[in-house]
């Protein structure tokens, strides 16, 4: 079954990506749409399984690891102020509109706050691929987007822990803060002191492909440690990539990881996003809510992040491009939604709506970025 699914996914995703590029859009858009076509929502050729979910998870981790390897650290440092502006303003506006939407839906205060936090989340894994295809990943805009994503993840998860601690959730806010602090302290210290040493020592082993193996060990270790301490695993993978990018092994690791990732893992990740969507069980009122929440999700993040980018010195076109890249909610929002469902902060019907809204924001991100970054092509 798995072999059959991989054959279908690889052929379909490559063809769909090619068609998307021929139509003037990033290839990732075609890969996302073909996932919906292949999944239960349309043709039913591919169904979500635990194995596919794990392969997909490896795909997004490797995608962010590659983004880290391609990061210009000097440029990343220069855009720190912009990233902070974008990250914070990109949370304030969606949170405010999400909270107001919750109150209009007669949700309790805690539930409205949770909906605001849910709409504040960002996942830039899709944006990273679009930036790569448009040659903008190493630009000031690209560095700002990646930095803002880190800030967004940390602030939203800490705020979520704060809310859960007051709504009966079994959450120790102090412990959450300590664990996140430990992650970043250990990750940055290890990157500085141990990563170069580990790569040099591991590369001397008398077996094949030691450098790429060492790179993957670091990537998955950082991702696991990040997830264990309550930070998104993709943030850990990104930091691992940045750490390796400062060593002489950067290009060797990048070339091998890119080949491995884009041959199987990344296509599965993109396609699986669409495969996971099912529309049955949604009522007429659900579709109205999907439209309303999708518009709020897209406009609030686009406006909020764009204002932050503009205030930090970017021109409006670049600011809107940065805002568009922050629109995708991706797997981060789905994880938060699952937490809310378990804590009874959202209903099952609202959870089903949110899954579709996340898909809409994810699919809508690449074409919006194409419009605002077209001068970078």
């Amino acid at each position: 079954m798995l072999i059959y699914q991989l054959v279908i996914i690889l052929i379909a995703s490559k063809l769909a990506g090619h068609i998307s590029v021929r139509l003037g859009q990033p290839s990732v858009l075609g890969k996302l749409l073909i996932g919906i076509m292949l999944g239960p929502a349309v043709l039913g050729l591919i169904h979500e399984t635990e194995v596919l979910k794990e392969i997909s998870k490896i795909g997004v981790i490797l995608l962010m690891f590659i983004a880290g390897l391609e990061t210009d650290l000097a440029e990343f440092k220069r855009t720190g102020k912009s990233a902070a502006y974008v990250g914070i303003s990109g949370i304030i506006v969606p949170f405010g509109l999400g909270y107001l939407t919750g109150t209009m839906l007669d949700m309790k205060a805690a539930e409205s706050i949770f909906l605001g936090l849910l709409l504040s989340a960002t996942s830039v894994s899709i944006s990273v691929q679009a930036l790569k295809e448009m040659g903008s990943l190493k630009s000031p805009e690209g560095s700002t987007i990646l930095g803002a994503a880190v800030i967004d993840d940390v602030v939203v998860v800490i705020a979520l822990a704060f809310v859960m601690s007051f709504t009966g959730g079994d959450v120790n806010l102090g412990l959450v803060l300590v664990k996140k602090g430990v992650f970043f302290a250990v990750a940055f210290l290890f990157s500085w002191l141990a990563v170069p040493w580990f790569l040099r020592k591991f590369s001397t082993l008398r077996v094949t492909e030691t450098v790429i193996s060492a790179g993957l060990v670091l990537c998955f270790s950082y991702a696991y440690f990040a997830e264990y301490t309550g930070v998104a695993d993709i943030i850990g993978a990104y930091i691992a990539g940045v750490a390796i990018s400062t060593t002489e092994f950067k290009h060797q690791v990048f070339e091998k990881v890119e080949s491995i990732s884009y041959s199987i893992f990344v296509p599965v990740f993109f396609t699986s996003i669409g495969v996971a969507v099912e529309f049955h069980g949604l009522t007429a009122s659900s579709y109205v809510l999907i439209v309303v929440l999708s518009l709020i999700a897209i406009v609030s993040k686009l406006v909020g992040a764009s204002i932050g980018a503009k205030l930090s010195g970017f021109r409006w076109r670049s600011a809107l491009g940065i805002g568009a890249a922050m629109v995708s909610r991706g797997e981060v929002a789905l994880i938060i939604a699952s937490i809310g469902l378990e804590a009874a902060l959202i209903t099952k019907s609202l959870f089903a709506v949110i899954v579709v809204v996340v898909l809409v924001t994810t699919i809508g991100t690449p074409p919006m970025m194409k419009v605002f970054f077209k001068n970078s092509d």
Side-chain angles (χ1 to χ4, degrees):
M1 184 65 174
L2 174 62
I3 305 301
Y4 156 78
Q5 290 183 321
L6 289 178
V7 170
I8 297 296
I9 288 173
L10 292 177
I11 292 175
S13 66
K14 296 299 182 182
L15 289 175
H18 172 73
I19 293 171
S20 185
V21 172
R22 292 291 298 271
L23 294 175
Q25 295 296 324
S27 69
V28 63
L29 178 61
K31 295 172 184 177
L32 292 170
L33 292 175
I34 199 63
I36 300 175
M37 294 293 295
L38 295 175
V42 183
L43 298 177
L45 296 176
I46 304 294
H47 293 272
E48 191 177 34
T49 65
E50 285 302 316
V51 176
L52 274 183
K53 286 173 64 176
E54 292 303 316
I55 294 176
S56 175
K57 185 174 183 178
I58 293 173
V60 69
I61 287 173
L62 291 177
L63 183 62
M64 293 303 293
F65 180 55
I66 291 170
L69 288 169
E70 290 194 274
T71 296
D72 183 333
L73 196 56
E75 184 65 50
F76 191 80
K77 292 177 180 177
R78 282 195 295 270
T79 57
K81 174 186 172 183
S82 299
Y85 274 64
V86 172
I88 299 302
S89 63
I91 291 173
I92 293 174
V93 177
F95 175 79
L97 288 178
Y99 176 80
L100 288 175
T101 302
T103 58
M104 292 176 66
L105 293 172
D106 294 326
M107 297 173 69
K108 296 178 181 177
E111 296 170 346
S112 297
I113 291 172
F114 179 82
L115 181 60
L117 287 176
L118 180 61
L119 293 180
S120 301
T122 289
S123 177
V124 296
S125 52
I126 300 299
S127 303
V128 163
Q129 178 61 22
L131 286 168
K132 279 175 63 66
E133 293 182 25
M134 294 183 290
S136 300
L137 186 58
K138 297 180 182 179
S139 65
E141 292 86 354
S143 297
T144 297
I145 291 164
L146 289 166
V150 176
I151 293 169
D152 189 294
D153 174 71
V154 173
V155 173
V156 168
V157 174
I158 289 176
L160 177 62
F162 185 79
V163 171
M164 296 294 289
S165 66
F166 284 96
T167 56
D170 186 20
V171 176
N172 186 321
L173 182 60
L175 180 60
V176 169
L177 294 174
V178 169
K179 287 171 70 176
K180 290 185 183 300
V182 167
F183 167 75
F184 284 104
V186 172
F188 290 136
L189 188 64
F190 193 83
S191 298
W192 177 43
L193 297 176
V195 167
W197 175 86
F198 177 75
L199 286 167
R200 284 195 298 270
K201 292 296 182 181
F202 208 87
S203 64
T204 61
L205 297 180
R206 295 185 177 182
V207 289
T208 58
E209 303 295 354
T210 52
V211 174
I212 178 59
S213 295
L216 291 174
V217 166
L218 290 170
C219 169
F220 294 134
S221 297
Y222 270 69
Y224 173 77
F225 185 44
E227 191 173 42
Y228 179 77
T229 54
V231 180
D233 50 19
I234 56 176
I235 300 299
Y238 175 71
I239 293 174
V242 173
I244 295 175
S245 74
T246 63
T247 71
E248 68 269 28
F249 300 99
K250 170 184 176 178
H251 297 293
Q252 191 174 349
V253 173
F254 172 77
E255 291 174 2
K256 295 293 180 65
V257 170
E258 188 174 46
S259 297
I260 294 172
S261 303
Y262 284 94
S263 60
I264 181 168
F265 293 105
V266 172
V268 171
F269 164 63
F270 289 141
T271 308
S272 294
I273 294 174
V275 169
V277 174
E278 296 187 35
F279 296 108
H280 67 266
L282 295 174
T283 63
S285 59
S286 297
Y287 285 107
V288 173
L289 188 56
I290 287 171
V291 173
V292 172
L293 286 181
S294 295
L295 288 173
I296 291 172
I298 292 171
V299 173
S300 63
K301 185 66 79 169
L302 177 64
V303 171
S306 297
I307 290 173
K310 179 61 179 176
L311 291 175
S312 67
F314 283 99
R315 295 181 177 181
W316 269 118
R317 177 172 288 278
S318 294
L320 288 167
I322 291 170
M326 300 294 289
V327 165
S328 175
R329 302 314 199 271
E331 68 284 350
V332 175
L334 292 178
I335 292 171
I336 294 175
S338 298
I339 293 172
L341 183 62
E342 291 178 8
L345 288 172
I346 57 174
T347 62
K348 289 184 178 181
S349 60
L350 182 56
F351 177 80
V353 167
I354 288 170
V355 170
V356 180
V357 171
V358 168
L359 176 68
V360 171
T361 64
T362 302
I363 291 176
T365 295
M368 284 194 299
M369 290 179 66
K370 184 73 174 180
V371 171
F372 297 120
F373 281 102
K374 64 182 179 181
N375 290 340
S376 300
D377 288 357

